[in-house]
Amino acid sequence: LSPEMMSADIDRLFAAKRQGKAKARCLGDLLVMSDTQLRAFFKPPSGSTDTETAGSATSWCEGIRALPLVDVSVEPDAMISSTDNASAAGSKSKPKPKSGSKGNNKIDSLEGLLPLTQYSVVVNLKHLPVQTAFRPPRMIKEPGQAYTPRFGKIQYEGWWLVLAQDEELVAIKRVSMQGKPESSGVWANSGELAVKGAAQRRQGAGNESRSVKLMFITPETAGAYRLKLYLVSDAYLGLDQEIDVDIVVGAGQMTLAADSSFISKERMKEYQ
């Protein structure tokens, strides 16, 4: 939190607060506290003569306010299709995608998905604004810069998005919060997909946001499945999140050409 606060101090602080009225189980709980609650949390115990701890309480609160409060949402995106995969005659193949869609058929739900078919979802990351009277740390001078007072050089905030089913990795992608949107709408230094009209809104709001596409292949057997989306920070400890992504695979069957390798085991392993 600050150069004066060691990990042992943090352990003692949380242990003491768990026995009192302050309900803070982890670092994420502190991010959603009000300024008044934060001051109360870091306030030294009644009767304490530790003036150094009392003087550092404000800097600890400022450190908490420098950490990102990230909202995560998942939206259905598309069924990845290819006209090469459709059987030629006598099959009820799905409609061809519109011109310019690069083989993607948009979907509006994660229910009724075809088995053994590749789909994509869009994961939205957004820094939520927090009303606070605490001043931002002087060391943060660039968008996406991480609050790392113990690190010897500038560090930028980044997140790993990990999509998994049970113990199996389905998709993984790293997202950088460094950089600003260019005139084209694509975010510099990142690799996120551009969302129409969103770059201008985000730039005006002053909040960092990203939208990222993840692809996965549905299971072979029809039924309801719960995927797990993990948001893992590469700059902070204790800010990771876990989100449920529920999908329903229907009993339909995707018709493929005899020589198609789209859903072969080797192809599935490549995406996994």
Side-chain angles (χ1 to χ4, degrees):
L1 297 180
S2 71
E4 298 82 17
M5 196 173 196
M6 307 300 291
S7 59
D9 299 325
I10 298 175
D11 292 338
R12 286 195 297 269
L13 180 62
F14 274 89
K17 295 300 179 180
R18 279 195 294 267
Q19 298 174 2
K21 295 182 179 180
K23 303 299 182 182
R25 302 160 299 172
C26 60
L27 186 59
D29 288 339
L30 299 183
L31 266 61
V32 297
M33 285 185 175
S34 65
D35 286 357
T36 301
Q37 291 172 322
L38 273 182
R39 289 191 181 97
F41 183 85
F42 288 109
K43 183 180 179 180
S46 179
S48 173
T49 58
D50 189 352
T51 56
E52 182 178 354
T53 301
S56 300
T58 299
S59 63
W60 295 344
C61 292
E62 292 173 351
I64 289 294
R65 285 294 181 249
L67 303 181
L69 181 58
V70 181
D71 176 72
V72 185
S73 62
V74 181
E75 302 174 358
D77 180 51
M79 176 174 66
I80 311 301
S81 61
S82 173
T83 54
D84 295 335
N85 290 334
S87 179
S91 67
K92 297 180 180 180
S93 59
K94 55 187 176 299
K96 295 182 179 180
K98 296 179 181 180
S99 176
S101 64
K102 298 183 179 180
N104 292 348
N105 291 330
K106 287 292 181 180
I107 59 174
D108 55 10
S109 172
L110 293 177
E111 297 183 359
L113 305 182
L114 295 175
L116 288 177
T117 304
Q118 189 182 29
Y119 289 88
S120 61
V121 293
V122 172
V123 181
N124 302 302
L125 306 180
K126 181 179 180 180
H127 281 188
L128 296 179
V130 178
Q131 297 296 329
T132 179
F134 293 113
R135 64 182 182 182
R138 298 177 181 176
M139 64 167 294
I140 297 183
K141 301 178 180 179
E142 301 179 42
Q145 182 180 344
Y147 178 59
T148 54
R150 293 180 181 273
F151 204 67
K153 61 179 182 179
I154 293 178
Q155 181 78 0
Y156 293 97
E157 178 189 340
W159 300 89
W160 285 98
L161 287 169
V162 181
L163 187 63
Q165 180 184 353
D166 298 327
E167 300 297 324
E168 185 176 359
L169 176 66
V170 175
I172 184 171
K173 183 173 289 188
R174 185 183 181 276
V175 184
S176 173
M177 302 302 280
Q178 180 186 4
K180 296 182 178 181
E182 298 175 345
S183 57
S184 63
V186 179
W187 290 79
N189 306 320
S190 52
E192 297 78 13
L193 64 94
V195 179
K196 184 177 180 180
Q200 291 78 9
R201 293 196 299 272
R202 293 169 185 161
Q203 191 174 25
N207 296 324
E208 297 297 323
S209 301
R210 297 291 189 271
S211 293
V212 183
K213 183 180 294 186
L214 294 179
M215 292 183 288
F216 66 95
I217 296 177
T218 53
E220 182 178 4
T221 306
Y225 297 86
R226 172 159 291 179
L227 308 182
K228 293 288 186 179
L229 177 66
Y230 299 95
L231 179 69
V232 183
S233 173
D234 67 358
Y236 302 112
L237 292 175
L239 296 185
D240 300 345
Q241 298 186 41
E242 178 181 321
I243 299 96
D244 292 335
V245 181
D246 294 323
I247 65 173
V248 178
V249 179
Q253 183 174 359
M254 188 175 184
T255 306
L256 302 176
D259 60 346
S260 173
S261 60
F262 177 72
I263 58 172
S264 65
K265 292 183 179 180
E266 292 75 15
R267 189 63 170 170
M268 290 181 69
K269 288 181 180 179
E270 176 182 342
Y271 283 106
Q272 294 169 353

